[in-house]
Amino acid sequence: MTNLTQDDGSKRVKRIAAVLYLLVMAFVVGGSYVNQHQGNVDVPASAMDKD
């Protein structure tokens, strides 16, 4: 019976870790997406001249 209690605890910890991981990844990917699609991106003139 004690194995069931330990298993429940480890499942809970794994579930919490998975949710935190998803939140962090959503924040990183969302931030990258927003950063790429901003309308006012400053591009140096020297980067525009290189062809």
Side-chain angles (χ1 to χ4, degrees), residues 18-48:
V19 169
L20 288 175
Y21 177 78
L22 288 174
L23 288 173
V24 168
M25 292 307 292
F27 180 77
V28 169
V29 171
S32 297
Y33 179 80
V34 168
N35 192 27
Q36 282 183 346
H37 293 290
Q38 284 181 342
N40 53 358
V41 177
D42 293 333
V43 178
S46 59
M48 302 275 295

Side-chain angles (χ1 to χ4, degrees), residues 7-19:
D7 289 342
D8 290 342
S10 65
K11 284 183 181 180
R12 183 173 181 227
V13 169
K14 288 180 182 178
R15 191 171 294 138
I16 290 171
V19 169

